[in-house]
Amino acid sequence: GAGTGEIGEKVGAALVGTFLGILLSYGFVQPVAANLEHRVTEELNIEQAIKAGLLATQKGFAPAIAVEFARRVVPDEVRPSFEETEQLCREARSESQAAAA
């Protein structure tokens, strides 16, 4: 039969394999998965904001109101203030008027 030394080597190899598998999954796979999940969530938030703005425009709301609908969908931690949004809209409007002239 198998000697104690052979069994010990096989148990040791199994333990090392288990340890490396756990280290790889917690140290590499989990952070990569969390990063990908975060990116997908960010893209989904952007798409939801675009959707809200387009739907408001389609329903006949004024452009400034449609922008506010879109702004409200953006998550709190990255949502611009109402004043910041108004300033950006004014700048975009003046740039488009300058380009048309």
Side-chain angles (χ1 to χ4, degrees):
T4 318
E6 280 183 53
I7 293 174
E9 284 181 26
K10 292 184 189 237
V11 168
L15 287 174
V16 168
T18 301
F19 174 75
L20 289 177
I22 291 171
L23 181 66
L24 184 66
S25 66
Y26 282 109
F28 180 73
V29 175
Q30 186 179 21
V32 168
N35 188 14
L36 289 174
E37 183 178 1
H38 182 70
R39 286 185 182 184
V40 167
T41 302
E42 283 180 348
E43 288 179 15
L44 183 62
N45 289 336
I46 291 169
E47 291 171 359
Q48 291 293 332
I50 292 169
K51 176 183 169 186
L54 288 174
L55 284 173
T57 302
Q58 190 268 334
K59 289 181 180 180
F61 288 102
I65 303 298
V67 168
E68 180 60 17
F69 273 102
R71 187 186 77 82
R72 293 288 177 125
V73 175
V74 175
D76 291 337
E77 62 270 8
V78 293
R79 179 185 301 155
S81 69
F82 180 78
E83 292 79 21
E84 290 172 322
T85 305
E86 285 297 310
Q87 180 63 33
L88 290 169
C89 287
R90 276 189 232 109
E91 290 172 8
R93 201 174 306 124
S94 64
E95 287 175 12
S96 68
Q97 289 172 353

